[in-house]
């Protein structure tokens, strides 16, 4: 199981950008699908984006497609989430997670490593 630490959250105006980072420990980082999820107050945690171990395939929620970009640097054991054109509805705690399920997009309960989260607040 990898240990994950997110960073890069903050307060930004609508239309602005932020880049989140998630640093992972462990020697097998490239063997995990990495995902970003978010949870707004009073709402369930929801999928945002995921990327395969090699970085060759990415997945996005419809709500962020075209605005967010997930990427990874396996040499640095880090996954990123570039968020552009932010909207107030993007306000949430953002979590990164790791899954050993590599042959398809993992289901929520197939992620077995989670970070502590980083707060993103978008003001209108």
């Amino acid at each position: 199981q990898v240990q994950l630490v997110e960073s890069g959250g903050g307060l930004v105006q609508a239309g602005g950008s932020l880049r989140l980072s998630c640093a992972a420990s462990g020697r097998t980082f490239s063997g995990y699908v990495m995902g970003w999820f978010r949870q707004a107050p009073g709402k369930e945690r929801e999928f945002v984006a995921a990327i395969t171990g090699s970085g060759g395939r990415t997945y996005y929620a419809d709500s962020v497609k075209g605005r967010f970009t997930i990427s990874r640097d396996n040499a640095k054991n880090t996954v990123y989430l570039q968020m552009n054109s932010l909207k107030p509805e993007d306000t949430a705690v953002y979590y990164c997670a790791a899954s050993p399920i590599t042959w398809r997009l993992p289901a929520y309960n197939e992620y077995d490593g989670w970070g502590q989260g980083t707060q993103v607040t978008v003001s209108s």
Side-chain angles (χ1 to χ4, degrees):
Q1 185 173 351
V2 294
Q3 304 298 316
L4 304 171
V5 178
E6 302 97 335
S7 61
L11 173 64
V12 64
Q13 289 188 331
S17 298
L18 282 175
R19 188 175 83 154
L20 305 183
S21 299
C22 173
S25 64
R27 296 175 293 175
T28 58
F29 176 71
S30 61
Y32 289 88
V33 165
M34 297 300 297
W36 285 97
F37 293 77
R38 67 186 181 186
Q39 188 166 18
K43 295 188 176 180
E44 293 187 350
R45 194 170 298 186
E46 65 175 3
F47 170 77
V48 175
I51 187 167
T52 55
S54 67
R57 180 169 289 186
T58 57
Y59 306 86
Y60 296 96
D62 288 344
S63 58
V64 306
K65 204 171 292 184
R67 300 188 298 122
F68 291 10
T69 302
I70 189 171
S71 61
R72 66 191 297 161
D73 184 338
N74 287 341
K76 296 182 178 180
N77 279 15
T78 301
V79 62
Y80 305 97
L81 186 68
Q82 177 67 44
M83 305 186 295
N84 298 328
S85 302
L86 283 161
K87 304 175 181 180
E89 51 264 43
D90 294 318
T91 295
V93 177
Y94 283 71
Y95 300 88
C96 68
S99 174
I101 303 294
T102 59
W103 52 93
R104 55 173 169 75
L105 182 64
Y108 175 82
N109 61 357
E110 292 174 328
Y111 287 87
D112 60 9
W114 290 86
Q116 83 290 349
T118 185
Q119 176 71 48
V120 171
T121 303
V122 184
S123 63
S124 57

